[in-house]
Amino acid sequence: MKTLLQGIDRVLISQEALQTRVAELAEQISADYKGLNPLLVCVLKGGYIFLADLSRALSINHAVDFMAISSYGNGSVSSGVVRILKDLDRDISGRNVLLVEDIIDTGNTIAYIMENLRTRQPASVRVCTLLSKPSRREVFLQADYVGFEIPNDFVIGYGLDYAEAYRNLPYIGVLKPEVYS
Ligand code: IMP
Ligand code: MG
């Protein structure tokens, strides 16, 4: 645990607060999608822990699928370049799709994915993001479900990484700027 804590400035969202909010989101999503058997699309890799907790907290039938997108490389500044590294396994035509994201920062990644998925004739596409940094938005994008709005700090943990590290932290932490600058 010692090495993991290196570089962390402070805890922004505790493990308890995350679990409470995930349960609330799951309750809302379960009510909104009752009888619709939605497809939860997890955007790898950052969304994997959120998806796992959200999926287990849902009280309705649903399926999961995964997409991997390149956005940042190893840095902490959005390149604006989005590329599909792994596409969905199944056709989504007629399905109610719920995109599950770790964080919406500039919005470029999710805007690209939504545009791409909409060409495949799904019944609906909505977005559920654990975190949102509204002050950083470059494209207009209103997520349907937002766990927490956060300030413009680089955060890690609960699936979110810096250069592939820190994903396994059970809380959302703020990285010391000297780690990435
Ligand atoms: P966007 O295209 O700028 O909205 O970037 C979204 C993606 O950038 C997310 O899926 C994350 O992988 C990554 N990202 C943005 N902000 C952070 C952060 O504070 N910590 C870790 N990853 C981040
Ligand atoms: Mg990432």
Side-chain angles (χ1 to χ4, degrees):
M1 206 59 192
K2 189 164 180 289
T3 51
L4 259 184
L5 292 173
Q6 271 171 14
I8 295 165
D9 188 51
R10 64 184 188 279
V11 175
L12 186 67
I13 306 169
S14 70
Q15 188 171 2
E16 294 71 27
L18 285 170
Q19 295 313 317
T20 302
R21 189 68 187 122
V22 170
E24 287 171 0
L25 290 171
E27 196 178 339
Q28 201 185 335
I29 292 165
S30 296
D32 293 353
Y33 285 90
K34 197 162 192 236
L36 294 177
N37 188 22
L39 176 69
L40 270 57
V41 169
C42 174
V43 183
L44 295 170
K45 301 173 202 170
Y48 78 111
I49 291 184
F50 179 40
L51 185 271
D53 282 350
L54 186 69
S55 175
R56 282 177 293 181
L58 290 177
S59 59
I60 53 165
N61 285 332
H62 62 280
V64 298
D65 205 343
F66 299 86
M67 244 178 138
I69 302 293
S70 76
S71 51
Y72 274 29
N74 274 348
S76 63
V77 180
S78 181
S79 61
V81 177
V82 177
R83 202 159 52 92
I84 296 180
L85 302 176
K86 184 225 171 286
D87 206 344
L88 298 174
D89 289 342
R90 299 273 178 92
D91 180 30
I92 58 165
S93 61
R95 296 298 302 262
N96 290 285
V97 174
L98 182 61
L99 271 171
V100 177
E101 254 282 29
D102 54 351
I103 186 165
I104 302 180
D105 187 27
T106 63
N108 287 317
T109 306
I110 211 75
Y112 173 86
I113 298 172
M114 290 199 64
E115 200 177 308
N116 183 286
L117 294 185
R118 283 200 177 112
T119 67
R120 309 181 194 191
Q121 277 83 49
S124 67
V125 184
R126 286 189 188 169
V127 179
C128 175
T129 186
L130 178 69
L131 306 174
S132 174
K133 288 182 191 170
S135 67
R136 295 256 310 156
R137 210 68 93 242
E138 289 174 6
V139 295
F140 177 78
L141 204 138
Q142 198 77 51
D144 302 275
Y145 306 93
V146 179
F148 301 89
E149 291 198 339
I150 62 167
N152 184 20
D153 292 313
F154 195 80
V155 293
I156 38 80
Y158 200 70
L160 290 106
D161 74 305
Y162 173 67
E164 298 300 325
Y166 305 103
R167 292 194 197 275
N168 57 318
L169 290 176
Y171 54 83
I172 298 288
V174 176
L175 211 52
K176 287 179 181 153
E178 59 259 37
V179 175
Y180 55 85
S181 57

